[in-house]
């Protein structure tokens, strides 16, 4: 979880993050851009779903989109602890067994 929070808060001023935010906003006016705008969120949901329920993973991805916009547009950065607490509240407890995890349970490659 700490790595996800650090990555989300590190986008300040990054060209890729600005383009991503602009793409999201352009997709509100141009529906043909929506599938492209949804690519990053879908990928993040897919990764989170390895450890968390689908609905909670999607909610967390949408929250992180908001974090991205805040990082890009706010002079006062969010506190990592606040973002972590919000993510923990959204995601809840990791599932202990997922088909991709096999018989051993949790997937160890995703930090909590």
């Amino acid at each position: 979880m700490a790595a996800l929070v650090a990555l989300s808060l590190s986008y300040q001023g990054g060209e890729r993050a600005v383009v991503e935010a602009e793409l999201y906003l352009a997709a509100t006016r141009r529906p043909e851009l929506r599938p492209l705008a949804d690519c990053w969120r879908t990928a993040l949901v897919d990764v989170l779903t390895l450890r968390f329920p689908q609905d909670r993973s999607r909610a967390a991805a949408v929250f992180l989109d908001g974090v991205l916009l805040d990082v890009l547009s706010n002079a006062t950065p969010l506190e990592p602890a606040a973002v972590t607490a919000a993510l923990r509240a959204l995601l809840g407890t990791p599932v202990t067994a997922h088909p991709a995890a096999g018989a051993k349970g949790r997937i160890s490659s995703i930090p909590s």
Side-chain angles (χ1 to χ4, degrees):
M1 181 104 38
L4 182 60
V5 170
L7 179 64
S8 298
L9 294 175
S10 72
Y11 282 123
Q12 189 167 9
E15 185 63 26
R16 178 177 177 199
V18 171
V19 169
E20 192 172 308
E22 289 173 343
L23 175 62
Y24 285 154
L25 294 175
T28 65
R29 292 198 175 105
R30 297 183 50 198
E32 67 273 16
L33 294 176
R34 290 179 185 164
L36 183 59
D38 197 42
C39 283
W40 184 84
R41 183 181 310 117
T42 299
L44 179 58
V45 170
D46 289 347
V47 169
L48 291 173
T49 301
L50 294 173
R51 290 208 43 200
F52 301 97
Q54 171 89 23
D55 59 337
R56 290 178 171 270
S57 295
R58 187 165 190 281
V62 170
F63 168 72
L64 289 172
D65 285 342
V67 169
L68 171 69
L69 289 174
D70 187 80
V71 165
L72 293 173
S73 63
N74 195 332
T76 306
L78 289 165
E79 289 293 325
V83 176
T84 300
L87 276 176
R88 287 186 197 280
L90 281 169
L91 290 169
T93 304
V95 294
T96 56
H98 185 279
K104 300 252 183 202
R106 293 187 183 189
I107 300 170
S108 62
S109 63
I110 301 173
S112 51

